[in-house]
Amino acid sequence: MAQKNYSFWSLLQQGFKRQEGWDQAWRSPEPKASYDVIIVGAGGHGLATAYYLAKEHGIKNIAVLEKGYLGGGNTARNTTIVRSNYLWDEAAMLYEHSLKLWEGLSQEINFNVMFSQRGVFNLGHTLQDMRDIERRVNANLLNDIDAQVLTAAEVKERIPMIDASPNARYPIMGASFQPRGGVARHDAVAWGFARAASNLGVDIIEQCEVTGMHIEGGRIRGLETTRGTIRAERVGCVAAGHSSTLAKMAGIRLPLESHPLQAFVSESLKPVLHTVVMSNAVHGYLSQSDKGELVIGAGIDSYLSYAQRGSPHVIEHTAAAIIELFPMFSRVRMNRQWGGIVDVSPDACPIISKTKVKGLYFNCGWGTGGFKATPGSGNVFAHTIARDRPHPLNEAFALDRFHSGHLIDEHGAAGVAH
Amino acid sequence: MLKFHCPHCNEVREEEEFSYAGEAFIARPAAPDACRDDEWGDYLFMRKNSKGWHWEQWLHAAACRKVVAVKRHTFTHEIGGCWTLAEGKRIYLEEQA
C-alpha cells in the first residue's frame, strides 16, 4: 500500500482541504508470529536499519519493536548536530558515509528532515587545542572531508556576537570549520524513516517491550515480548542506553556504561546564530533552531544512570560555558531541559557487530554522538545483518576490538565535548 | 543531586565533592600472564551496567580523597548505603553468595 508522495501539488491540494486528507504516516499492525528480521528499538538508527534492509537487501518480512513510542528515546533527546570531522580513518569514513547520505536524505525518503548545512565550528582555546585542530583538519583533508583552520579574527568575522577578545577567561585562539556540517530536524528523521520503511512493508510495533530471548544451540530463534512470542532467525538490537539490558538476556557482556546526557533550549529569539559552535575547552555547544530557540548541550553526567534526567550542577556548568562564549545570552530565558541515556564505550566509538550468538547483532555504544550517524549507521548495520558479515565501513567497529586491543580512540581525537 | 555519607569523614556531602570511579569490586584475573585475551578484555572493558542496584566507587575528591563504596539504584537514584571499600566488599560478597 504505497502512500501519496509529499509534493508541491499534494501540499497545495491539502491546503484547500484543511489538511484533513493526509494518510497515516506509518501503519500500526499487530505483530505477526514470525519475521525474517526483527530490529529492537524504533529510534532513528533502528528505523534506518529496517529501511535499508527492505530497500537495499530485498528482505520483505521485517519488524521493528519499540517498548515506548517511536522516536521517544535519544532520537528526540539530542542537539541535532551533524558533522564528520573525526580524526581516525575508521571513524572519519563511517561518519562521512553518513554525512553523504544526509545530503540526499530528504529526497530519498520523501520527507523533509530539514537538513541544514550551516557549518560547524570547533573552537580552540589553548595552543594544544590549536595543534590538535590542525592535525585533525589535515587528517580530514587526507580523507576528502571538507575542513578548514580559522584564526580568531576569522571566527569573529563569521560569528560577530562571539566573545573573541583576548581578555576572555579562555580566549578563542582559532577554530576548525566544516562547512558541510550542520543540523537536522531530529523528530522528522525518525518519522521520515518510519514512513519510508512502512511503505516498504516493514511492521513498526510500538508499546512492545522485549522481555526475553529464545536461544537454542547458540542461535537466536525469537523474542519474548509484552505482546507475545515473536519468532525470528535474525535480530538486530539498537537500543542505545538499554543495550546492556538486552545483551544480558543473551548472556553477553558489553563494554558499556549508560549515562544521562542533558540538553536544553531557550525561548525563541530572532536569528542571532547562523551556524553550530562547539567548544571542548569550556565544554558546551549550541546552535539556533529554525524556530529561533538556542539549542544547548554539554557533557554527560559522570555516573551510571538509567533515569532520563541529570544533575542540576551539570546544567549550571553548561550555561557557564555558553555565557563564556556569548555573554549576550546571559539574560536569555531557558524554556525546557531534557535528558537522554547514552551508552558510552571505552574508546568513545560505536559497536556495530555480530555476537557470539548466531543471528544476533548489536548496534550500540554511540555515546554522545549518535544522531549525526543515523543514516550511515542504519545503512552499514543493515548490510551486516543481511549478509551476516560487516560492511567494510563497520569492520573495525566489531565487539572483538575490546579483546584484541584494536581500539579506535576517538575520545580525545574528535575535539568534541564528552 | 546525589548525597553520600562519607564513612571516612563521617559526614553527608553532595555529589559535587565526589568524582565517580566506576563499577566496584571487579576481580582482576588471578594470573594475568596466563589468562586468555578475552578474559583480560573482559576485566578491562566489559561492565555489568546494571539497571537496578549497582555497586560503584566514588572518590571523595574535594575532602579526604579516599574511595567510598556505594550501593545505588541506577533508575531511582536511591542510595542503599556507603561504606569503606573493605566493609563494602564484605557486604557485596555476602550478597553475591
Side-chain angles (χ1 to χ4, degrees), chain A residues 113-398:
Chain A
V113 299
M114 295 167 72
F115 181 49
S116 159
Q117 292 179 292
R118 56 186 71 177
V120 174
F121 289 81
N122 286 92
L123 303 176
H125 299 261
T126 64
L127 271 177
Q128 188 58 48
D129 277 358
M130 290 315 296
R131 290 187 194 109
D132 290 341
I133 280 172
E134 279 162 27
R135 181 180 178 207
R136 179 160 46 81
V137 164
N138 285 326
N140 291 161
L141 292 173
L142 288 171
N143 278 323
D144 279 336
I145 293 168
D146 57 323
Q148 301 166 16
V149 180
L150 303 179
T151 63
E154 286 168 323
V155 171
K156 179 70 181 169
E157 194 187 321
R158 295 180 192 210
I159 314 170
M161 73 291 291
I162 205 165
D163 180 8
S165 75
N167 301 326
R169 189 172 177 193
Y170 303 105
I172 293 167
M173 298 185 73
S176 71
F177 179 55
Q178 183 177 25
R180 283 161 66 242
V183 291
R185 170 88 164 93
H186 48 8
D187 300 311
V189 177
W191 299 335
F193 270 122
R195 179 174 170 276
S198 180
N199 272 342
L200 292 172
V202 173
D203 283 0
I204 297 164
I205 300 159
E206 296 171 81
Q207 305 291 332
C208 180
E209 185 173 355
V210 173
T211 54
M213 293 188 180
H214 293 288
I215 295 166
E216 290 159 22
R219 172 168 254 299
I220 189 101
R221 297 291 182 194
L223 298 173
E224 202 55 53
T225 77
T226 48
R227 293 176 70 172
T229 308
I230 309 175
R231 288 199 308 278
E233 295 291 305
R234 278 178 287 180
V235 173
C237 296
V238 202
H242 283 76
S243 298
S244 299
T245 320
L246 280 172
K248 207 172 176 184
M249 294 175 192
I252 295 168
R253 272 159 68 84
L254 292 175
L256 297 178
E257 260 208 0
S258 298
H259 294 257
L261 177 64
Q262 303 181 75
F264 42 97
V265 295
S266 73
E267 59 191 337
S268 289
L269 311 175
K270 286 183 180 179
V272 284
L273 184 65
H274 62 283
T275 187
V276 181
V277 180
M278 313 181 72
S279 167
N280 202 11
V282 299
H283 213 165
Y285 39 92
L286 82 165
S287 62
Q288 189 173 22
S289 75
D290 294 330
K291 281 189 284 184
E293 304 151 323
L294 296 172
V295 184
I296 296 171
I300 55 174
D301 280 41
S302 65
Y303 54 85
L304 197 167
S305 168
Y306 285 89
Q308 285 173 314
R309 57 174 194 266
S311 288
H313 67 87
V314 177
I315 300 174
E316 194 182 350
H317 178 82
T318 310
I322 297 309
I323 294 167
E324 167 71 25
L325 298 174
F326 297 95
M328 65 184 286
F329 293 154
S330 67
R331 294 288 170 205
V332 176
R333 285 167 294 192
M334 293 301 147
N335 254 0
R336 58 183 196 276
Q337 169 271 356
W338 64 92
I341 299 301
V342 298
D343 45 334
V344 179
S345 70
D347 59 355
C349 276
I351 298 159
I352 312 170
S353 183
K354 297 166 70 164
T355 65
K356 65 181 183 185
V357 177
K358 268 190 95 60
L360 180 66
Y361 309 87
F362 269 86
N363 184 350
C364 56
W366 289 92
T368 59
F371 177 73
K372 68 175 81 69
T374 305
S377 157
N379 189 266
V380 299
F381 193 44
H383 183 284
T384 306
I385 296 173
R387 312 270 175 95
D388 193 36
R389 63 167 190 272
H391 187 283
L393 289 174
N394 69 304
E395 214 160 5
F397 295 91

Side-chain angles (χ1 to χ4, degrees), chain A residues 67 242 244-245 253-259 302-307 309 311-313 346 402-403 407, chain B residues 1-2 15-16 20 22-23 37-38 41-42 45-51 54 58 72 74-77:
Chain A
K67 72 171 174 155
H242 283 76
S244 299
T245 320
R253 272 159 68 84
L254 292 175
L256 297 178
E257 260 208 0
S258 298
H259 294 257
S302 65
Y303 54 85
L304 197 167
S305 168
Y306 285 89
R309 57 174 194 266
S311 288
H313 67 87
F402 298 99
H403 296 148
L407 304 187
Chain B
M1 177 73 71
L2 305 174
E15 78 178 76
E16 279 181 274
Y20 178 67
E23 186 180 317
D37 284 352
D38 57 336
D42 195 86
F45 299 121
M46 304 297 159
R47 295 295 176 259
K48 285 183 190 145
N49 200 20
S50 324
K51 184 177 184 176
H54 172 63
W58 286 80
R72 185 175 61 90
T74 58
F75 188 67
T76 64
H77 289 184

